[in-house]
Amino acid sequence: MDEIPVAEAARRLGLTEWAVRKMITAGRLLNRARSGPALVAAADVDRIRSDRRTEALRRHRDLTAFARAVDGLLHPLMTSTPLGATGSGFYLLPTGRDALKVLPPDAFAVFGRDVLEAAAVRDQLRRDGACPTCFAHMASRVHQTHPPENGQAYRALLGEPCPVDVRRFAEQTAERRRTADRQRQADTARRAEAERDHARAEFSAAHAAAETAAQRVRSAARHLATLDPQIAREATAQARRRGAFKAASRFPDWCTCDADRQCPRHAAADRRAARR
């Protein structure tokens, strides 16, 4: 199991190191280091990150509106605000990376720290000729955080994606569609196999019941034949007749004999043979 230090866990979760250490103290994360700096399991961190993102998405149904609100905190229209009721003096609003300190925790849970950092320096990246979406994607791959997605919410934070991102989003969409198709086919095959197994089990049970019933019929016939010699002679003639039919591999067209009873013509012939 991969183990990561507290600093990396904090970046993946979008929290401070103090918050992660508090989670370790509370027992939500297990310190796996025998000595030295604390280490936590990467799988546990990913599980907590997924749970936090699910809860945050449940609180913010309109993700685009939430992204615009976050962008308003990162890039305020006014860079200062009056202090106090009299307005004597001004308070400079944080911008850029400094504005990350005023973002709500749900922003880090939903978008991830790397996406928010790219959104904070979006204008500077574009002035330098870089794509904020590509920057966020590469940073998320390095730090194992949530990557940018193809949606209006991420466009509100990072701007329009470049052609490279458009192709990557198209490939991701196609891959998700192929994965869903494979999963659907696997589920269909699994259900069909389960139905075949059920039908096979029902057939086996019915066949076993039929064999048991046939054995009981034969046993009862043998018992009855021991009590009535006439029935024994008829059964012998019937068995001989059926054996001849089986050897010939066909029944006459007028014969309606089956496994349980004879047709009238063969029954009469057996009775005549028994009387002789």
Side-chain angles (χ1 to χ4, degrees), residues 78 80-83 87-92:
M78 297 178 58
S80 61
T81 182
L83 285 175
S88 57
F90 290 89
Y91 169 71
L92 295 178

Side-chain angles (χ1 to χ4, degrees), residues 17-240:
E17 295 187 22
W18 178 83
V20 174
R21 295 185 187 279
K22 190 174 180 180
M23 294 172 66
I24 295 175
T25 304
R28 295 185 61 187
L29 283 174
L30 180 62
N31 183 7
R32 298 183 178 274
R34 297 182 180 274
S35 61
L39 296 174
V40 294
D44 295 340
V45 174
D46 294 338
R47 175 180 52 81
I48 294 176
R49 181 182 63 181
S50 178
D51 294 342
R52 292 182 69 245
R53 190 169 193 270
T54 302
E55 294 174 0
L57 289 174
R58 191 180 297 114
R59 286 190 291 268
H60 302 281
R61 299 291 184 179
D62 191 352
L63 193 58
T64 303
F66 181 56
R68 291 196 180 102
V70 172
D71 185 69
L73 294 175
L74 292 175
H75 305 282
L77 297 178
M78 297 178 58
T79 58
S80 61
T81 182
L83 285 175
T86 60
S88 57
F90 290 89
Y91 169 71
L92 295 178
L93 295 176
T95 59
R97 291 182 182 272
D98 294 335
L100 296 174
K101 301 176 183 178
V102 300
L103 294 182
D106 284 351
F108 293 94
V110 172
F111 301 109
R113 176 172 290 275
D114 291 309
V115 172
L116 294 177
E117 287 184 354
V121 295
R122 176 185 61 201
D123 298 335
Q124 180 181 351
L125 289 173
R126 291 198 178 279
R127 285 195 299 268
D128 295 339
C131 174
T133 305
C134 290
F135 180 85
H137 180 76
M138 289 186 292
S140 64
R141 289 185 60 183
V142 172
H143 300 120
Q144 297 295 317
T145 58
H146 191 75
E149 298 178 358
N150 185 21
Q152 292 298 327
Y154 288 87
R155 283 181 169 84
L157 289 173
L158 302 172
E160 291 297 325
C162 66
V164 176
D165 294 315
V166 172
R167 287 195 299 270
R168 180 168 56 245
F169 290 147
E171 292 174 358
Q172 291 175 355
T173 302
E175 181 61 28
R176 284 195 295 268
R177 188 179 296 111
R178 287 192 294 268
T179 302
D181 292 340
R182 288 194 295 267
Q183 184 65 32
R184 193 180 304 109
Q185 293 174 0
D187 293 341
T188 303
R190 194 179 302 110
R191 286 194 298 268
E193 184 64 25
E195 291 177 358
R196 284 194 295 269
D197 292 341
H198 182 67
R200 195 178 295 112
E202 286 186 345
F203 174 78
S204 300
H207 183 70
E211 288 291 334
T212 302
Q215 290 177 3
R216 293 178 61 186
V217 169
R218 288 192 293 269
S219 177
R222 286 193 297 269
H223 181 65
L224 184 60
T226 58
L227 300 178
D228 191 344
Q230 178 67 21
I231 294 178
R233 287 193 294 270
E234 291 182 1
T236 302
Q238 182 180 2
R240 190 181 304 114

